Amino acid sequence: MIFFATSITSSSPNQIAVATASDSYFNFEDRFDGIQNFLAGHSHFWQKEVLSRYPNELAQFPEEWIDELTSHKPADLYAIERQRAFAGLRSSSLRKYFESIRELEILPKAVPPRAVTLPHQAMLGVAGKKQYEIESLLPVIRELHIQKHFKQVLDYAGGIGYFAQVLANHCAIPVCSLDFDARLQETGIKRFEKYRESGSANLEYEHCDLLAGANLPKTNENLHLGLHSCGSLSVEVLRGFLTKKTDVALSFGCCYYRTHEKDLLLSKRARKMPLALSGAALTLASRSHRDDLSAFELSK
């Protein structure tokens, strides 16, 4: 079983959008084809950076759309882009464009499992964003552990191992944290020893270069966790998962501009109608900001 999670956002605090290979009502191939066809039909929007189009940087965009969008205040644009509020758009073609995107974004939503209550020290030194991610994913992983009986979590690019320590300490789930930065791992080992709970599961730190063909632990029945699968690391999470027939994967891709060319268009289906994924396109795919108006305005 594999879970692909596109994001964890504060706009849906108790739900994580997921699609799984066991979802009989979700057709992956149809959705992939829909996304691919949509992107191909609008490739002139994303193949090049806007600045590289100078002096005709807006020539590829419908004038009707430009006129409408420039007439709106930032708060209105925020509602359109972040809250998917399209009803007030005068241009029917622009409204259809946004509605098509919304339809392609929809994934089955898992019923959130019961939250896990954590003690104060579990989050000491943990940034707010990371705290939110841990609190959102922890009950999901605990529920998967109950259902699938995996033996350990392989935490890709785990760094200090904040998440790994929570899993080991407060869910009694064994973890192997994989990372290239030995200094971060040393800090993590000291932190784990300081806050280790009685009855905690085993936590190992494996120093390795995941993008250079590192050998993964030879155990079966793992959960492959890529909380921040930057660029080609997301492919390594999948490769690790595919070598083990009994494993589970939970992967959050990000920083697509860091993806090596050899790691693009991997499937036969993708190569049937290949998209020219330029550096500009991959950078645009990585664009994100906090889900509030002030951050939205800064991003503009």
Side-chain angles (χ1 to χ4, degrees):
M1 175 190 291
I2 183 163
F3 286 65
F4 294 99
T6 54
S7 63
I8 309 176
T9 66
S10 55
S11 59
S12 53
N14 293 314
Q15 287 189 319
I16 300 172
V18 298
T20 81
S22 60
D23 283 331
S24 58
Y25 56 88
F26 188 85
N27 190 308
F28 283 89
E29 292 182 347
D30 286 351
R31 178 58 60 84
F32 182 88
D33 289 346
I35 293 173
Q36 192 173 45
N37 289 330
F38 180 85
L39 290 174
H42 297 89
S43 60
H44 50 289
F45 288 0
W46 51 260
Q47 279 183 331
K48 293 182 178 181
E49 290 277 8
V50 172
L51 291 178
S52 69
R53 304 170 189 265
Y54 181 83
N56 301 309
E57 59 270 23
L58 299 180
Q60 297 290 341
F61 301 91
E63 188 173 344
E64 177 188 0
W65 294 12
I66 296 171
D67 290 343
E68 166 138 10
L69 292 173
T70 53
S71 71
H72 287 288
K73 297 177 180 179
D76 298 328
L77 296 174
Y78 171 77
I80 293 168
E81 182 173 328
R82 303 297 291 165
Q83 299 174 342
R84 300 299 188 252
F86 313 136
L89 290 172
R90 299 182 300 274
S91 169
S92 59
S93 61
L94 181 58
R95 186 167 57 250
K96 182 179 179 181
Y97 171 80
F98 280 120
E99 288 172 346
S100 296
I101 293 174
R102 180 169 57 188
E103 290 175 6
L104 292 170
E105 289 177 333
I106 296 173
L107 290 171
K109 290 195 174 179
V111 176
R114 182 170 55 87
V116 178
T117 301
L118 296 171
H120 173 68
Q121 67 268 21
M123 294 297 188
L124 287 176
V126 184
K129 178 176 179 289
K130 175 75 75 173
Q131 289 188 32
Y132 179 80
E133 292 167 345
I134 291 173
E135 291 168 353
S136 298
L137 275 177
L138 191 60
V140 176
I141 293 177
R142 184 184 63 176
E143 188 67 22
L144 279 172
H145 189 232
I146 294 170
Q147 293 178 5
K148 302 299 174 184
H149 309 291
F150 55 80
K151 293 179 180 176
Q152 71 172 344
V153 171
L154 300 181
D155 184 16
Y156 287 68
I160 290 174
Y162 291 122
F163 200 175
Q165 292 183 24
V166 169
L167 287 168
N169 264 334
H170 306 290
C171 292
I173 298 175
V175 184
C176 181
S177 182
L178 310 165
D179 204 277
F180 182 67
D181 194 324
R183 289 179 299 176
L184 290 179
Q185 291 188 317
E186 289 170 6
T187 300
I189 291 169
K190 293 176 182 177
R191 185 183 186 276
F192 184 57
E193 291 304 319
K194 182 176 181 179
Y195 296 115
R196 188 166 192 168
E197 301 278 347
S198 60
S200 65
N202 187 48
L203 170 57
E204 297 178 358
Y205 284 85
E206 183 75 25
H207 180 242
C208 60
D209 187 347
L210 290 163
L211 296 180
N215 293 323
L216 297 176
K218 295 182 179 180
T219 57
N220 290 316
E221 301 177 28
N222 304 295
L223 184 146
H224 298 255
L225 174 63
L227 184 57
H228 295 284
S229 301
C230 295
S232 288
L233 183 59
S234 62
V235 178
E236 295 306 316
V237 174
L238 299 184
R239 286 186 177 129
F241 161 75
L242 290 171
T243 62
K244 312 285 186 179
K245 302 299 183 183
T246 57
D247 285 9
V248 181
L250 181 58
S251 179
F252 294 80
C254 63
C255 306
Y256 305 109
Y257 55 88
R258 294 182 177 179
T259 306
H260 301 149
E261 187 175 353
K262 66 180 179 60
D263 292 328
L264 297 171
L265 307 176
L266 295 176
S267 72
K268 293 179 181 178
R269 201 170 194 87
R271 291 194 293 268
K272 277 185 178 180
M273 191 177 71
L275 295 172
L277 298 174
S278 63
L282 295 172
T283 300
L284 183 61
S286 305
R287 177 181 174 274
S288 64
H289 46 73
R290 294 196 315 274
D291 195 25
D292 60 71
L293 180 57
S294 61
F296 177 83
E297 290 177 324
L298 283 174
S299 74
K300 301 303 179 186

